[in-house]
Amino acid sequence: MTVDVDHSPATRTVGLATLAGLVALLPALLVGRGLLVGVAGLTGLAFGLRRRSFRVLHAGALGLYGSLLTAGLAGAAPFVLVVGTVGGVVAWDAAEHGLGVVTHLSRAAASPRPELVHVLGTAAVTLVVAIVSYVVYVTVTAPRPTAVIVVLLAGVLALVGWLGHR
Amino acid sequence: MSPPGRIASGIGLAVAALGIVLVFVPGLATPLTTSDIVVVALGLVALGVALRALVEGFTERPGSIQTPSPEYRGDVRIPGTSFDQSLAALDPDLRDRLEATCVTMLERFSGVTPDEASDRLAAGTWTDDEDAAAFFAADVHAGEGWLPRWLGEPTVIRQARAVVAALETTARTTGSLETDETGTADGLSTDEGLAGRPRASTSRDRASGAGRDDEAGHARSGETDGAFPRPGTVHDRRTGRWRGVTALALLTVGVGVVTGHSSLLLVGVVGVGLGAFAAYGRAGTHEALELAVDRVVETDRPARGDTVRITVTVRNEGDRFHPDLRVLDGVPPNLVVVDGSPRHAAALRPGEATRFTYSVRAEHGAHEFQPAMVIGRDLTGERERATRVDEPEPAFTCRPSPSVSERVTLRSKTSNYAGQLAAETGGSGLEFHATRDYHPSDPLSSIDWKRLAQHGQLAAIEFREERMAKVVLVVDARPVAHVAPTLNERSALARGVEAADVLVHALLDANHRVGLAALTAHPDPCWLTPGSGTDHRVRARELLLGHPALSLPLPDDPFVPTVGFRRLRRQLPTDSQVVFVTPLCDDAAVDFVRTLEAVETPVTVVSPDPTGAATPGQRLAALERHARLATLRNSRVPVHDWRVDEPLELALAREQRGAQS
């Protein structure tokens, strides 16, 4: 009797993604706006893992982002928004990486260590970026000239263009 | 990356970094002034670019490398699958293809001429089934099912299924087709239909449907796009997994600028920071995967069917940390994994090792491990390298002792030497051959005393002489013979090698001279001149278990029948006969037998059955093979039909019983 190769993600992956996804729902929960989109996104993320579909998974992550955006537009506090952003990024990263591993290998082969190394690495980088950004944001109170926005957008445009065409 | 790309990326990163700095240190931007209109316009541009990037990300297929399935047998093909694919795709050529097959099969099973068969198909009189008749006859209208047309199975598929079922009925009625316990067609099939069209279906076909969502298919092997690189090569890729995050960062900045929400700008800046993290990953060079793979095989001489446990150790011999390693061990191609997994994920520090185990079921043959396949990613997941770790590979051999009772039906062509095969000539022996007039030189023991007593006539009794046969075992090792009913079954080639191994022993034990050959396009010809003795026996087995033409991977060179057959025919001794081990997967195999018979080289066929009965294509392929069997049997060529679920001994015994009856 040959073995059946199970390509469904480990429970650990789903748990990590869901846990981080709940953190991403925090801004929407606090301001009372965008929660529905966020829950739908989190459900989509889990459903994408279950269906082994990167597209559904990405659509779910987009829902989490929609929740953050809605909460931001509704006036969520910057700190909460940053925490939610970290949660959203980690949720997507854990899910995408976990699904990639089981797609290449299998559920049985997906050992916890490389997964935790990857997710913790991403979480650490995201946390550092978020903390630095937030600290600078709250310590600088002077009004920002529009030219700053121009430079920032130009830079982001160049970055996206570069990443998109590599 | 090209030099302009490096410059653009450098400028982009620098400007983005400057923008971030200016957001938090606005004093640096006092010399700059820009109107609100420009800012809003830029915000809208940013929104547009972000949305475009998102749409592209969703519509582009992921270019991830496809991993093989080492748990199953490598590159085996299932006969008839391509017909099923044509059926599912409603291929316009389907009708012509099926018609050509039907004509040939009606010719073989019903004994009609090709023109008569075509007429019957056109008139719809070849079958009582309305659906089957309607497939070829425009004047015949089959009744519709109870489901609406748009809801049920397409008519052409239903009719094609009916055609296959009707052909089975025809074959069964004429006694050409046996039925198994499930009532489905039983037999072999090929990768080329009777119409001579290729209809190969490889394990890759199955692999592409491995996932339910099918975004990440699995291939066994090969060098197609996304397939795993060959040994000695690497496949480097940038995954682009962070593109979506960067696009969303841009979107957030755009929304923040247009709506004036500074908190969203903060979120955007976090996204830009992650984009820089991804850019760092993308800009780096792919690190070499300096790994060592060591395998420990539980036993190197297992019995057939034994479970062999394999322990694999992967060690990081480089000086870099590998945070994401995905390893697939190179399971010997003809074996299947029955326990554990040959796949393993690991994160290894320099000098660190990881270990995993799995078990395979031992099968006949010499089994060599393939290089392990490894995919390594950096911490960002942006850089991906796939390669094979080529280590000195251990091997194990499973060589069951053949049973001496396994005998193949040999033809009566013999040599001049004494042996155990009853010849067509009379002389000394045990089996009665004929009586003839007495000659004074005949010994007294040869006189037919009963006849003398009854009729007073002197006559001598002759017995069938027992001579030695010179037999060449020819194994069909063309790629078309690497077929099996399912991906978990051994291929016809692997079974054929086993049959040849068994028959070499049986024939040598019976004092025949035995030679070996393979039908193959391999540059190293597989040939052993007929001989006998202990040394010859050892050489024959070594050739069967070790010749590259008889093991995977099969040669890429195409087999040209005219050249291959001629070369083999020239090698055959004039007084020899051939035992041809072939799945009869195509008409070329039948032509080969006919050619040999035409030059008075008698042939016996041993045919491992590689067909299934799960789909119309498989059933059609089985029918085609049965037509070939019928053709050979009608030409009085003995054929041992070896089913996949029975021991070789049974197949040989069954055919002998049939020949005796």
Side-chain angles (χ1 to χ4, degrees):
Chain A
M1 190 69 179
T2 54
V3 294
D4 285 326
V5 184
D6 182 3
H7 289 285
S8 59
T11 310
R12 175 184 59 253
T13 305
V14 181
L16 276 173
T18 306
L19 201 64
L22 287 174
V23 175
L25 295 183
L26 200 61
L29 194 67
L30 290 179
V31 299
R33 298 278 295 275
L35 191 60
L36 201 60
V37 179
V39 170
L42 188 56
T43 308
L45 202 72
F47 192 60
L49 284 171
R50 183 177 165 74
R51 276 188 59 90
R52 306 199 298 269
S53 168
F54 284 100
R55 286 200 182 105
V56 176
L57 185 151
H58 290 150
L62 207 58
L64 286 180
Y65 168 77
S67 162
L68 281 170
L69 194 66
T70 308
L73 289 172
F79 175 77
V80 177
L81 218 46
V82 168
V83 170
T85 303
V86 173
V89 169
V90 172
W92 162 80
D93 182 69
E96 200 270 351
H97 177 264
L99 185 57
V101 169
V102 292
T103 301
H104 276 152
L105 302 175
S106 66
R107 183 185 178 98
S111 48
R113 191 179 171 212
E115 187 166 355
L116 291 177
V117 165
H118 178 86
V119 173
L120 288 177
T122 303
V125 171
T126 312
L127 266 178
V128 168
V129 170
I131 289 170
V132 170
S133 303
Y134 182 73
V135 168
V136 175
Y137 179 84
V138 296
T139 52
V140 176
T141 53
R144 295 160 188 82
T146 50
V148 174
I149 309 301
V150 173
V151 175
L152 181 64
L153 282 177
V156 173
L157 279 171
L159 199 63
V160 169
W162 171 61
L163 285 173
H165 291 93
R166 281 204 52 162
Chain B
M1 188 178 6
S2 62
R6 286 176 187 276
I7 295 169
S9 62
I11 293 174
L13 277 174
V15 175
L18 179 63
I20 293 169
V21 171
L22 292 180
V23 166
F24 299 113
V25 193
L28 295 176
T30 44
L32 302 174
T33 55
T34 311
S35 71
D36 286 346
I37 294 175
V38 174
V39 172
V40 171
L42 269 172
L44 291 173
V45 170
L47 284 174
V49 172
L51 289 173
R52 186 185 161 197
L54 283 173
V55 169
E56 281 180 358
F58 268 87
T59 52
E60 282 179 9
R61 283 189 65 82
S64 180
I65 198 157
Q66 294 183 350
T67 51
S69 297
E71 288 85 358
Y72 308 112
R73 301 180 198 279
D75 270 346
V76 73
R77 300 165 185 230
I78 298 176
T81 309
S82 69
F83 178 84
D84 293 326
Q85 290 170 340
S86 296
L87 196 60
L90 301 178
D91 188 340
D93 293 338
L94 186 69
R95 188 181 181 282
D96 293 342
R97 180 170 166 178
L98 199 51
E99 184 176 2
T101 304
C102 280
V103 167
T104 312
M105 297 186 67
L106 285 177
E107 183 189 352
R108 290 185 180 175
F109 287 138
S110 302
V112 298
T113 65
D115 289 340
E116 287 173 342
S118 295
D119 291 343
R120 286 189 188 186
L121 290 177
T125 57
W126 67 282
T127 176
D128 295 332
D129 188 298
E130 284 189 346
D131 279 339
F135 189 82
F136 299 113
D139 297 337
V140 179
H141 299 284
E144 295 294 335
W146 59 272
L147 280 173
R149 182 177 294 187
W150 55 269
L151 198 58
E153 186 180 45
T155 304
V156 65
I157 294 182
R158 180 165 49 85
Q159 291 178 346
R161 283 179 192 276
V163 168
V164 175
L167 281 174
E168 285 178 344
T169 304
T170 304
R172 219 171 273 131
T173 306
T174 58
S176 302
L177 187 67
E178 304 164 26
T179 53
D180 60 15
E181 291 175 356
T182 60
T184 54
D186 151 70
L188 295 173
S189 126
T190 73
D191 278 2
E192 286 185 47
L194 293 171
R197 302 186 53 152
R199 52 181 61 185
S201 165
T202 71
S203 52
R204 276 189 286 277
D205 298 330
R206 173 184 184 258
S208 64
R212 270 186 291 173
D213 214 66
D214 204 18
E215 290 179 20
H218 290 254
R220 293 288 176 102
S221 65
E223 201 60 27
T224 54
D225 290 342
F228 222 87
R230 290 183 182 280
T233 62
V234 295
H235 177 84
D236 290 337
R237 191 172 76 91
R238 287 179 165 80
T239 60
R241 66 191 293 270
W242 287 95
R243 275 194 307 187
V245 173
T246 315
L248 289 181
L250 183 59
L251 186 71
T252 312
V253 171
V255 172
V257 168
V258 172
T259 61
H261 281 80
S262 59
S263 59
L264 287 180
L265 281 178
L266 176 62
V267 173
V269 168
V270 174
V272 170
L274 290 173
F277 172 60
Y280 163 76
R282 293 182 75 87
T285 54
H286 290 88
E287 292 103 12
L289 297 173
E290 296 177 75
L291 303 172
V293 176
D294 182 48
R295 295 186 191 89
V296 176
V297 182
E298 191 178 32
T299 172
D300 59 350
R301 294 272 171 187
R304 181 171 181 180
D306 278 1
T307 299
V308 180
R309 187 182 175 88
I310 295 145
T311 304
V312 185
T313 304
V314 181
R315 182 179 301 280
N316 180 2
E317 296 199 323
D319 55 0
R320 287 176 174 275
F321 173 52
H322 292 300
D324 187 353
L325 289 172
R326 304 168 186 187
V327 183
L328 293 92
D329 195 26
V331 181
N334 275 324
L335 299 180
V336 292
V337 176
V338 293
D339 189 30
S341 174
R343 307 163 185 248
H344 189 66
L348 294 179
R349 292 190 300 272
E352 194 179 12
T354 184
R355 184 175 297 166
F356 59 99
T357 60
Y358 61 94
S359 301
V360 296
R361 186 177 60 226
E363 300 279 10
H364 176 276
H367 303 287
E368 285 191 0
F369 286 89
Q370 308 294 308
M373 292 160 279
V374 182
I375 299 171
R377 285 189 176 188
D378 72 327
L379 197 59
T380 65
E382 280 287 336
R383 290 196 306 278
E384 179 183 281
R385 166 166 285 194
T387 188
R388 295 182 192 242
V389 180
D390 202 0
E391 293 291 316
E393 308 301 336
F396 68 89
T397 305
C398 177
R399 304 168 84 169
S401 300
S403 165
V404 293
S405 63
E406 293 169 3
R407 297 182 62 181
V408 65
T409 305
L410 288 180
R411 307 291 288 276
S412 56
K413 187 171 185 177
T414 57
S415 67
N416 292 325
Y417 300 97
Q420 292 187 3
L421 182 63
E424 288 300 316
T425 55
S428 60
L430 294 174
E431 186 185 343
F432 174 79
H433 175 63
T435 58
R436 59 169 171 78
D437 290 341
Y438 176 75
H439 191 272
S441 63
D442 287 333
L444 284 177
S445 61
S446 67
I447 294 176
D448 186 353
W449 294 105
K450 285 184 181 176
R451 188 170 179 178
L452 181 64
Q454 288 177 352
H455 305 290
Q457 295 175 339
L458 266 176
I461 297 175
E462 283 196 333
F463 295 90
R464 200 178 288 274
E465 283 199 318
E466 291 186 339
R467 297 276 180 84
M468 182 179 70
K470 196 178 282 184
V471 184
V472 178
L473 288 160
V474 179
V475 179
D476 190 345
R478 298 172 296 155
V480 76
H482 193 50
V483 285
T486 69
L487 297 176
N488 291 330
E489 297 290 348
R490 286 192 303 154
S491 73
L493 173 56
R495 295 170 65 207
V497 171
E498 178 187 354
D501 193 21
V502 168
L503 293 175
V504 162
H505 274 264
L507 292 170
L508 286 174
D509 286 342
N511 293 328
H512 298 302
R513 298 176 72 86
V514 182
L516 274 175
L519 270 186
T520 175
H522 198 280
D524 181 13
C526 179
W527 171 254
L528 183 66
T529 306
S532 58
T534 308
D535 291 346
H536 189 75
R537 186 186 299 256
V538 172
R539 277 198 298 274
R541 293 205 82 182
E542 285 179 350
L543 191 72
L544 280 170
L545 295 181
H547 197 281
L550 301 176
S551 58
L552 298 176
L554 296 174
D556 293 331
D557 304 330
F559 180 84
V560 182
T562 51
V563 177
F565 292 164
R566 195 185 309 128
R567 185 176 69 178
L568 187 57
R569 218 173 53 225
R570 279 202 299 263
Q571 288 177 304
L572 293 172
T574 52
D575 56 348
S576 66
Q577 59 177 291
V578 165
V579 174
F580 186 27
V581 185
T582 174
L584 288 172
C585 287
D586 58 357
D587 287 346
V590 177
D591 293 341
F592 177 58
V593 175
R594 282 174 161 169
T595 306
L596 290 178
E597 291 274 338
V599 294
E600 296 185 350
T601 301
V603 181
T604 299
V605 174
V606 175
S607 189
D609 182 348
T611 53
T615 67
Q618 291 176 20
R619 289 158 57 195
L620 186 66
L623 279 167
E624 290 169 355
R625 178 181 175 276
H626 270 280
R628 295 186 191 104
L629 289 176
T631 301
L632 291 177
R633 283 172 173 153
N634 287 342
S635 306
R636 300 190 177 282
V637 174
V639 181
H640 296 274
D641 187 5
W642 181 17
R643 297 171 188 164
V644 72
D645 55 352
E646 70 178 358
L648 175 63
E649 189 174 5
L650 276 183
L652 298 178
R654 188 179 60 244
E655 192 65 27
Q656 282 181 334
R657 282 200 306 273
Q660 287 163 3
S661 63

